[in-house]
Amino acid sequence: MLWIILEQMQLLRVTMQERPWKMKRSFSRSTSGGQKGFSEIDLKLEMVSQDALRRTLFPLGGLTKDFVKKIAAENRLHHVLQKKESMGICFVGKRNFENFILQYLQPRPGKFISIEDNKVLGTHKGWFLYTLGQRANIGGLREPWYVVEKDGTRGDVLVAPRTDHPALYRDLLRTGRVHWVAEEPPAALVRDKMMECHFRFRHQMALVPCVLTLNQDGTVWVTAVKAVRALALGQFAVFYKGGECLGSGKILRLGPSAYTLQKGRSRPDVAVEGSSVGRDDSPGQGPTL
C-alpha cells in the first residue's frame, strides 16, 4: 500500500498548480454499486479555505474503499479490514443519546403536539433531543409519530402520524453567506443571478436538482425541483454541478411545508439550537416568505 500512497502523492505534487483547487468526483471514495461519487468528504472539505486546499494532498483520493481494502488484505493488514464503519455520532458511541446530551444541557420539559389538530400527545425532556424526521417515542401510543417542527421558544415538538406526512416536505430554503470552494461564485450564477445545479444536506442522500438564486449579500435561495424531506435549520446545503462540489451555505430559513401550503395557512419556521425561528433580515433578492 505504501508504494501506491507514495505514487499518488508524487502525482499530485507534479500536477498541483497555483490555481483555484476544485473538488472533483475523483477525490471521493466509491458509493453503492461501485460507482465513484461524493461522500462525507464533501461535507468537511467544502468549508476549507482555498489557501489550505492548494496545499492539500489526497494520496488515496483516486482509490475506492473496496480497492484499498483489497490492498490491505494482500498485505495482511487485518486491523484495517476489521475496522467497523463509523455510524451516527462517533464520539457518543453506544451510549444512550438522550442521557449523553442531558449530561451537558439542562432538561427543558415540553409537549408533543399533533400538527393536525393541536392535541397534546405526551411530554418530553427537551426539544433539542429531537431531529426533524425522526420517530418520536411517545409513551402510550402504538402508532408511530414523527417530528415535523420544533418550537425552541415554547419548548414544544410538533409531530405528524406518518413518515411521509406532507409537513415533513419543503422545496424552498435560504442559506447564510455561501462558502465557495473556488473562492468566487460560479460565473453563470454571477451573470444570471440564477443557476441550475444539485444540492444535498445529509451524508449519502441523493443529490437533489435545484435552482440557486443569488442575493446581494452573498446568501442564496435554493428552490428544489421536488420537495425534500426533513430540511432543518442549522444544517449545511452543499452544492454540486457537473461532477464538482461548488461549496456550501448554512440553512437559516425555510419555506412553508407542503402541509402548510395544502392548508392555506402560515406557520413559523422551524427553531433550532434555541435560536429565534428562521430570522434572516439581511437584504437580498429571491423569494420572500
Side-chain angles (χ1 to χ4, degrees):
M1 181 183 290
L2 181 59
W3 67 269
I4 291 182
I5 294 176
L6 293 174
E7 184 180 73
Q8 292 279 324
M9 292 179 69
Q10 180 61 28
L11 176 62
L12 284 166
R13 286 194 182 98
V14 171
T15 57
M16 284 177 68
Q17 301 176 7
E18 284 300 317
R19 58 183 174 82
W21 188 95
K22 294 183 178 182
M23 193 187 302
K24 294 290 187 177
R25 287 182 186 269
S26 60
F27 285 96
S28 291
R29 66 170 176 79
S30 65
T31 54
S32 59
Q35 298 295 318
K36 288 187 177 181
F38 293 104
S39 68
E40 68 270 18
I41 192 173
D42 316 336
L43 304 180
K44 308 295 186 297
L45 295 182
E46 41 79 19
M47 290 299 294
V48 178
S49 70
Q50 183 62 222
D51 183 62
L53 288 173
R54 285 195 182 101
R55 295 166 173 77
T56 304
L57 299 177
F58 296 89
L60 298 181
L63 306 179
T64 66
K65 180 180 288 187
D66 289 340
F67 187 66
V68 172
K69 287 185 174 181
K70 181 176 181 293
I71 298 172
E74 292 172 349
N75 290 273
R76 299 180 181 180
L77 300 175
H78 301 297
H79 63 285
V80 175
L81 299 173
Q82 295 170 359
K83 186 176 181 180
K84 294 182 179 180
E85 296 284 345
S86 175
M87 299 293 182
I89 306 177
C90 57
F91 59 85
V92 174
K94 296 181 179 180
R95 289 173 290 184
N96 178 275
F97 176 76
E98 180 176 310
N99 293 339
F100 174 79
I101 293 297
L102 291 177
Q103 291 178 18
Y104 301 92
L105 298 176
Q106 291 295 322
R108 291 186 58 187
K111 303 171 184 176
F112 285 116
I113 299 178
S114 168
I115 195 170
E116 294 187 339
D117 57 14
N118 291 321
K119 180 180 178 181
V120 176
L121 303 176
T123 59
H124 59 78
K125 296 180 181 179
W127 60 268
F128 48 79
L129 296 170
Y130 298 91
T131 301
L132 296 189
Q134 81 168 84
R135 180 171 177 173
N137 294 318
I138 305 175
L141 299 182
R142 290 185 178 180
E143 68 275 16
W145 288 75
Y146 297 87
V147 177
V148 296
E149 292 187 16
K150 300 187 293 183
D151 188 331
T153 302
R154 296 184 178 182
D156 294 332
V157 174
L158 280 71
V159 293
R162 302 192 314 275
T163 185
D164 61 348
H165 194 281
L168 279 166
Y169 288 83
R170 288 177 165 84
D171 62 5
L172 179 65
L173 66 92
R174 184 174 181 169
T175 73
R177 188 175 182 85
V178 176
H179 172 86
W180 301 105
V181 173
E183 296 184 331
E184 298 293 335
L189 182 58
V190 174
R191 181 184 66 245
D192 302 329
K193 305 303 180 185
M194 299 180 71
M195 183 183 74
E196 294 182 353
C197 64
H198 292 77
F199 85 104
R200 67 154 54 109
F201 57 94
R202 282 196 308 267
H203 164 48
Q204 289 190 338
M205 71 175 287
L207 293 177
V208 179
C210 67
V211 175
L212 299 186
T213 302
L214 182 64
N215 299 315
Q216 294 177 352
D217 58 357
T219 66
V220 297
W221 284 101
V222 183
T223 305
V225 172
K226 185 177 180 181
V228 182
R229 185 181 185 275
L231 281 170
L233 301 181
Q235 294 175 315
F236 278 79
V238 184
F239 308 115
Y240 306 85
K241 188 175 180 65
E244 179 185 342
C245 179
L246 302 176
S248 72
K250 186 176 183 178
I251 300 175
L252 297 182
R253 193 168 183 177
L254 298 175
S257 70
Y259 181 73
T260 296
L261 295 174
Q262 289 173 8
K263 291 293 183 179
R265 57 193 175 90
S266 179
R267 269 197 168 277
D269 292 306
V270 180
V272 297
E273 302 304 326
S275 59
S276 49
V277 210
R279 290 184 180 172
D280 181 14
D281 301 322
S282 54
Q285 304 168 350
T288 57
L289 300 183

